[in-house]
Amino acid sequence: MAGLATTFGSGAMTNPIYEITEEAELMLLIGTNATEAHPIIGYKMRQAARNGAKMIVCDPRRIDLVDEADYWLQIKPGTDIPLLNGLMHIIIKEGLEDKQFIAERTENYEELKAVVENYPPEKVSEMTGVSVEDLYAVARLYATTDKAMIFYTLGITEHICGTRNVMSIANLAMLTGHLGRPGTGVCPMRGQNNVQGACDMGALPNVYPGYQAVTNPDIQQKFEKAWGKELPNKVGLKIPEMFEAAHEGKVKAMYILGENPVLTDPNANHIKAALEHLDFLVVQELFLTETAEFADVVLPAASFAECNGTFTNTERRVQRVRQAIEPIPGQPNWITICQMATRMGYPMSYEHPSEIWDEMSSLAPSMAGVNYDRLEKSSLQWPCPTVEHPGTPFLHSGKFTRGLGLFQPADHVPPAEMPDKEYPFLLSTGRILYHYNVTTPYSPGIASVWDKELAEFHPLDAEKLGLKEDSKVKITSRRGEVISAVKITERVQPGMIWMSFHYAETPTNELTSDGLDPITGTGEYKVAAVKVEKL
Amino acid sequence: MDRVKLTINGKEVEAPAGSTILQAAEMAGIEIPRLCYDPHLSSLGACRLCVVEVKGNRLLPASCVTPVTNGMEVETETDAVVQARKTILELLVANHPLDCMTCDKMGACKLADYCYKYEVKDSPFVGERHHYPLDDSNPFIIRDMNKCILCGACVRACEEMTGQDNLSYLYRGFDRKATTAADVPYIESDCVFCGQCVAVCPTGALVEKSMSGKARRWDIDRVRTTCPFCGTGCNFDLAVKDGKVIGVLSTPEAPVNGQMLCVKGRFGWDFIYNEKRLTAPLIKKNGQFVEASWDEAYDLIAEKFNAIRDQYGPDSFAALSSARCTNEENYLVQKLTRAHMGSNNVDHCART
């Protein structure tokens, strides 16, 4: 989200989901497998494509939506920036940029022009594997379609150059004026149910609720007054830095709520060692997860069906979560957190989650107009500054959140680790339809049908290695090894293996790279070098 | 948009040009019976239950596919219409098991509702009946093709909502069947188990396996909530019976997704009753977890966290909050970390 925050001033999806079927004339999908990771959005994209909207898919894998697409750009993993720069090069060369939009609403255009000048189609074709002809066709189509939306997810961000990738997408949208109107925009789709909300709530090391900087003295003072405590003004640690600091013995105690970094974070063995190093670890969870095993105290958590509260979806829509059954551990999570804080000497007392929301929204101007009474009637998309405000379906109308949109050109950054003689395969990872990070394997129904990892191999590689459907293989990287069953499919390119990360028996993230985006700290889940041994 | 004026049951009605009679009636608050019609799917005009009388037309047109015209005079419940509907229902019931007393769909079965309305108890038409085997090959959906009335809603939902194109019509005449390619069970087909077909099925032909035998529809409490899986933010109702969730029912009122859900949202909820759920706090003693009271757990946490902060400073503490938990829980975690522990070391997996 740092990429969009820098270029637009706000790190959120710019346009709402319903515009896919109601407004868009073109959808450009880059690094997003929507029908599996965001199925309902994927189904809507498919509906739109079948109703005549153009679709361009940029993905190294033959994802399902390729069947609906007008163009499939099968790029080599990790070459998103050259592709995007190459498209912008053509657009500028052919005079298809939106000159008025650039002049009135953006800055730093000359620098962008200078950088993308170095990405002529022939060179880009070489770097990305996309034909020159397709580069021209897609550049022209995107630039000349009035209502064009771009969608991306972790295929863009989970690279060492993730932030640069995002900025390059923003550059393309600004260059062609595809922002601030219905049916346009840049839409990062959030992977988890409440990533947007957790960010909005200030569960981030640099901002309070509502994206108010911890380093701003006025903001600090406002929160000090509200919370009755002196507050730190130094930006805190991001997740990878926390584990690094735990390794070094600087972080000695951790509280982990509803996360399982041992299974979901890259380079799992490194995480385990960090957790082992802690003096004291508290984990609040539904299950005794791989991470909870390392805890000194485990607090039982309540599921979504057992709590009142709100989630905020990927389009900034705040929606109610309602308690349907008695909490299985005896109490909802918010009460547990309040009781724990109170015992620690910081009294927290609320009658209902709506009071927590009210306290938060009184401190966060962008959400001040949202309250539980209004949410009873309908969901609301922030910014929603007053109780009369109807909410904001799309951002950046007439003006960017930061004023002028900032072009932030980027050059190609190769992945931190590429296949070589010793580790000849490129491993990429992602989510499959039937599973969601780490809760679905606990669903007896789902687990009974999709019960194990199936690493995807191209038929040519399978033949070379003597693999059959369901063969067992050992996959090894410089960081770890896992055993997996095999699925043979042309969805992947030769030389590439694709795996999910949902199964404790095949902890794929023991293999993944320790390369990080230096700005966001996001792990490079999408590219690692591995070797394969048939068992 | 052009408006068209007509009368329905003597009432003057206005509707946008291009509306069907059924839609115009609905806007005027007049409900016309329908089995195959669903406002979120294309209109098929297959079941004929929505027939009406239109002055000057000697046939009874299906209102779901007949556009309104200026000056049209429509009657929706004349003797001829009622007789036609009775006959249609009798024909459907002639080849439909009347085991309504044990049918899971009872209470949400449109066929039963209309038979009740038009007093159709059984059928004067005697003939061959289907004896299809039950398809319960998968953990999520039970298909009883004997109860299928060939309204085609499942076929259209599969094609028009999900776009999976896994269902179509096979065979001819009496043997006609809405089924998978090659007529294989769902589990052997290209089904992605989104369950859109179950959500739109008007009879007991498609039902949620988790709810089968658990409750009649009128005994179910529906609690509207937001899906805990990906970031799309689908809404659905948790179906609750005797304090237990027994299933998920989608609703056209959901702002993002309408009736649509995916396999996780519709069928993945049962993780909440996994026997491995933790029910009490655990404290590790000599490398083993031992159940403890909340008080013991809080005392130990308070002592350790405070001592470490006091000895090593605020930044010796870090909190990992959760993109899976509610806004309110996240707010509390960052507030505790900042206000009490004195550190901005709080983050969550926005990056994974």
Side-chain angles (χ1 to χ4, degrees):
Chain A
M1 296 300 134
L4 293 189
T6 310
T7 49
F8 300 158
S10 167
M13 178 160 163
T14 62
N15 286 57
I17 294 166
Y18 61 76
E19 289 182 358
I20 295 170
T21 45
E22 293 177 17
E23 298 282 351
E25 296 162 359
L26 183 150
M27 297 163 282
L28 172 62
L29 280 53
I30 179 162
T32 177
N33 181 10
T35 51
E36 297 207 55
H38 301 84
I40 299 308
I41 295 176
Y43 301 160
K44 282 177 184 267
M45 289 172 171
R46 198 186 259 146
Q47 290 170 16
R50 291 184 183 182
N51 284 324
K54 300 283 182 205
M55 182 185 279
I56 299 158
V57 174
C58 312
D59 205 301
R61 266 172 99 215
R62 191 187 166 93
I63 59 170
D64 287 346
L65 284 173
V66 167
D67 289 343
E68 316 293 332
D70 296 270
Y71 292 95
W72 173 33
L73 310 186
Q74 190 182 20
I75 63 168
K76 296 177 191 163
T79 61
D80 305 275
I81 291 173
L83 174 71
L84 292 159
N85 283 353
L87 296 176
M88 289 188 271
H89 178 101
I90 295 169
I91 289 167
I92 293 171
K93 278 281 179 299
E94 303 212 331
L96 299 174
E97 75 276 22
D98 186 335
K99 294 178 186 70
Q100 193 186 350
F101 189 92
I102 295 167
E104 290 172 3
R105 298 205 41 190
T106 68
E107 56 186 327
N108 207 29
Y109 175 59
E110 287 309 317
E111 199 182 316
L112 175 87
K113 211 170 157 182
V115 170
V116 304
E117 174 67 28
N118 300 326
Y119 291 83
E122 295 71 25
K123 178 176 162 190
V124 169
S125 177
E126 180 95 350
M127 294 171 89
T128 61
V130 176
S131 73
V132 170
E133 194 188 356
D134 280 357
L135 290 172
Y136 273 104
V138 166
R140 287 170 186 157
L141 185 62
Y142 176 75
T144 58
T145 302
D146 180 40
K147 291 181 174 180
M149 300 177 84
I150 304 182
F151 300 88
Y152 70 87
T153 52
L154 306 180
I156 279 295
T157 53
E158 286 180 356
H159 287 283
I160 49 164
C161 51
T163 304
R164 295 274 160 194
N165 283 346
V166 172
M167 288 171 173
S168 301
I169 290 174
N171 292 341
L172 177 62
M174 287 194 289
L175 179 69
T176 49
H178 284 133
L179 281 159
R181 292 179 288 129
T184 65
V186 174
C187 300
M189 295 180 291
R190 299 294 207 156
Q192 307 201 45
N193 56 317
N194 203 33
V195 186
Q196 184 68 48
C199 292
D200 299 347
M201 291 305 112
L204 291 172
N206 59 336
V207 288
Y208 291 110
Y211 303 94
Q212 303 174 84
V214 296
T215 50
N216 179 327
D218 294 339
I219 301 289
Q220 184 189 345
Q221 213 175 18
K222 175 170 86 171
F223 280 88
E224 284 179 341
K225 203 172 149 211
W227 293 347
K229 284 277 194 167
E230 266 184 47
L231 296 172
N233 62 1
K234 191 180 97 200
V235 170
L237 300 177
K238 299 194 269 271
I239 292 178
E241 294 165 345
M242 288 177 187
F243 290 120
E244 210 48 60
H247 260 290
E248 293 165 10
K250 287 181 191 154
V251 161
K252 296 193 176 293
M254 278 188 83
Y255 166 57
I256 299 179
L257 168 67
E259 294 282 348
N260 190 3
V262 170
L263 198 60
T264 60
D265 283 30
N267 196 2
N269 288 327
H270 187 72
I271 306 279
K272 286 185 199 167
L275 292 174
E276 246 159 29
H277 213 86
L278 290 171
D279 286 357
F280 194 67
L281 172 64
V282 176
V283 173
Q284 189 171 346
E285 254 299 356
L286 298 170
F287 303 103
L288 197 59
T289 60
E290 294 75 8
T291 301
E293 294 281 1
F294 288 86
D296 297 283
V297 178
V298 181
L299 297 172
S303 77
F304 81 108
E306 299 150 47
C307 292
N308 280 305
T310 53
F311 290 154
T312 305
N313 82 346
T314 187
E315 47 171 3
R316 299 165 278 103
R317 186 185 296 276
V318 185
Q319 306 191 99
R320 275 300 312 276
V321 176
R322 291 185 182 84
Q323 182 179 344
I325 55 169
E326 286 304 312
I328 286 175
Q331 59 191 42
N333 303 327
W334 65 273
I335 288 187
T336 302
I337 300 166
C338 287
Q339 289 177 344
M340 186 174 75
T342 304
R343 193 68 57 96
M344 287 161 71
Y346 185 66
M348 281 187 182
S349 153
Y350 306 89
E351 289 294 316
H352 188 271
S354 65
E355 293 181 4
I356 304 172
W357 177 275
D358 290 344
E359 177 182 312
M360 184 284 302
S361 65
S362 73
L363 296 163
S366 59
M367 290 174 275
V370 180
N371 60 50
Y372 273 47
D373 283 344
R374 290 188 76 188
L375 292 178
E376 262 329 292
K377 294 178 201 90
S378 75
S379 59
L380 284 164
Q381 288 174 276
W382 68 261
C384 181
T386 65
V387 289
E388 291 81 28
H389 193 284
T392 309
F394 64 91
L395 301 175
H396 314 306
S397 175
K399 191 171 137 244
F400 285 103
T401 310
R402 77 178 285 276
L404 291 175
L406 178 65
F407 282 110
Q408 286 272 289
D411 272 307
H412 179 45
V413 184
E417 180 182 78
M418 285 299 275
D420 52 26
K421 261 201 177 137
E422 198 185 348
Y423 296 93
F425 285 95
L426 188 152
L427 171 72
S428 195
T429 69
R431 202 181 277 178
I432 64 167
L433 169 64
Y434 304 100
H435 283 299
Y436 161 78
N437 290 16
V438 284
T439 20
T440 44
Y442 291 98
S443 157
I446 286 181
S448 70
V449 187
W450 300 279
D451 56 349
K452 62 177 180 203
E453 183 69 46
L454 289 170
E456 295 183 358
F457 283 78
H458 191 274
L460 290 175
D461 292 328
E463 203 187 321
K464 241 185 277 171
L465 294 162
L467 303 178
K468 297 202 176 66
E469 276 305 328
D470 223 22
S471 288
K472 283 250 175 318
V473 289
K474 183 164 86 177
I475 303 174
T476 312
S477 78
R478 288 187 175 84
R479 292 154 297 277
E481 59 177 50
V482 302
I483 309 282
S484 176
V486 166
K487 182 187 167 103
I488 300 170
T489 168
E490 288 180 358
R491 279 163 74 93
V492 290
Q493 305 174 2
M496 175 178 173
I497 301 169
W498 190 90
M499 296 172 77
S500 80
F501 54 89
H502 305 294
Y503 302 97
E505 298 74 28
T506 305
T508 304
N509 281 319
E510 299 201 353
L511 302 175
T512 42
S513 167
D514 48 9
L516 296 178
D517 179 302
I519 300 160
T520 61
T522 304
E524 186 159 57
Y525 293 88
K526 299 303 183 197
V527 183
V530 296
K531 62 183 175 190
V532 178
E533 195 185 319
K534 191 186 167 195
L535 296 181
Chain B
M1 192 182 283
D2 288 349
R3 310 277 300 175
V4 171
K5 283 186 179 172
L6 67 159
T7 64
I8 303 179
N9 298 348
K11 185 175 169 183
E12 291 207 5
V13 173
E14 244 192 55
S19 306
T20 63
I21 295 173
L22 188 144
Q23 286 166 335
E26 210 148 61
M27 282 177 238
I30 298 164
E31 167 95 4
I32 298 176
R34 80 289 295 271
L35 285 167
C36 72
Y37 175 79
D38 184 303
H40 305 99
L41 301 173
S42 62
S43 294
L44 197 61
C47 75
R48 316 308 288 181
L49 201 69
C50 69
V51 291
V52 292
E53 214 171 310
V54 176
K55 197 174 173 188
N57 187 338
R58 60 188 182 81
L59 301 173
L60 300 177
S63 62
C64 75
V65 287
T66 307
V68 293
T69 54
N70 262 319
M72 195 180 234
E73 292 176 38
V74 179
E75 289 289 335
T76 67
E77 295 281 343
T78 62
D79 288 347
V81 166
V82 168
Q83 197 48 53
R85 288 191 189 138
K86 273 192 172 191
T87 306
I88 290 162
L89 291 167
E90 285 166 353
L91 284 164
L92 288 173
V93 164
N95 182 25
H96 187 98
L98 295 179
D99 60 352
C100 308
M101 54 286 284
T102 56
C103 180
D104 288 309
K105 210 55 165 284
M106 196 58 191
C109 173
K110 283 193 198 159
L111 182 62
D113 291 350
Y114 293 131
C115 283
Y116 180 80
K117 179 176 165 126
Y118 292 108
E119 297 176 358
V120 173
K121 286 184 191 161
D122 50 25
S123 182
F125 305 103
V126 182
E128 210 182 327
R129 282 173 168 267
H130 291 300
H131 297 284
Y132 295 120
L134 209 66
D135 172 11
D136 63 352
S137 57
N138 68 85
F140 312 116
I141 299 167
I142 301 176
R143 277 169 87 214
D144 182 352
M145 296 313 288
N146 301 302
K147 292 181 178 171
C148 175
I149 56 169
L150 287 172
C151 74
C154 57
V155 176
R156 284 172 287 152
C158 192
E159 183 180 325
E160 296 168 18
M161 288 180 169
T162 305
Q164 189 65 17
D165 305 343
N166 185 49
L167 297 174
S168 62
Y169 303 99
L170 284 187
Y171 316 120
R172 307 290 289 267
F174 179 74
D175 292 327
R176 190 168 160 83
K177 204 174 172 189
T179 187
T180 59
D183 200 12
V184 294
Y186 267 14
I187 195 77
E188 292 166 35
S189 73
D190 286 341
C191 182
V192 292
F193 295 101
C194 64
Q196 262 67 284
C197 55
V198 185
V200 298
C201 178
T203 72
L206 295 167
V207 296
E208 294 87 352
K209 201 175 207 173
S210 69
M211 294 204 263
S212 180
K214 298 267 174 62
R216 310 309 290 264
R217 294 293 162 134
W218 50 76
D219 291 328
I220 290 173
D221 290 324
R222 296 177 70 134
V223 181
R224 181 74 40 93
T225 195
T226 304
C227 183
F229 296 113
C230 79
T232 304
C234 296
N235 278 193
F236 53 65
D237 291 345
L238 286 168
V240 181
K241 170 83 189 323
D242 298 333
K244 272 201 89 170
V245 176
I246 60 169
V248 157
L249 296 166
S250 52
T251 163
E253 292 163 21
V256 175
N257 55 302
Q259 289 272 41
M260 290 197 289
L261 288 174
C262 76
V263 59
K264 290 170 287 223
R266 201 182 292 277
F267 300 117
W269 58 271
D270 58 352
F271 74 88
I272 63 182
Y273 292 118
N274 186 302
E275 56 187 21
K276 291 184 184 153
R277 276 290 297 273
L278 298 171
T279 54
L282 302 173
I283 294 177
K284 200 179 264 169
K285 291 178 180 161
N286 303 320
Q288 296 292 315
F289 282 116
V290 183
E291 278 200 11
S293 70
W294 288 96
D295 268 332
E296 276 177 89
Y298 291 147
D299 281 340
L300 181 61
I301 292 169
E303 182 202 319
K304 290 283 188 180
F305 277 170
N306 287 344
I308 287 172
R309 180 197 57 184
D310 294 345
Q311 190 179 347
Y312 300 103
D315 289 333
S316 63
F317 175 83
L320 200 44
S321 199
S322 178
R324 291 150 63 198
C325 290
T326 62
N327 286 327
E328 291 72 9
E329 290 153 13
N330 275 288
Y331 174 79
L332 294 180
V333 170
Q334 61 86 38
K335 182 180 177 185
L336 173 67
T337 306
R338 293 187 157 116
H340 181 69
M341 299 306 285
S343 172
N344 283 314
N345 290 346
V346 57
D347 201 357
H348 71 284
C349 71
R351 300 174 176 84
T352 59

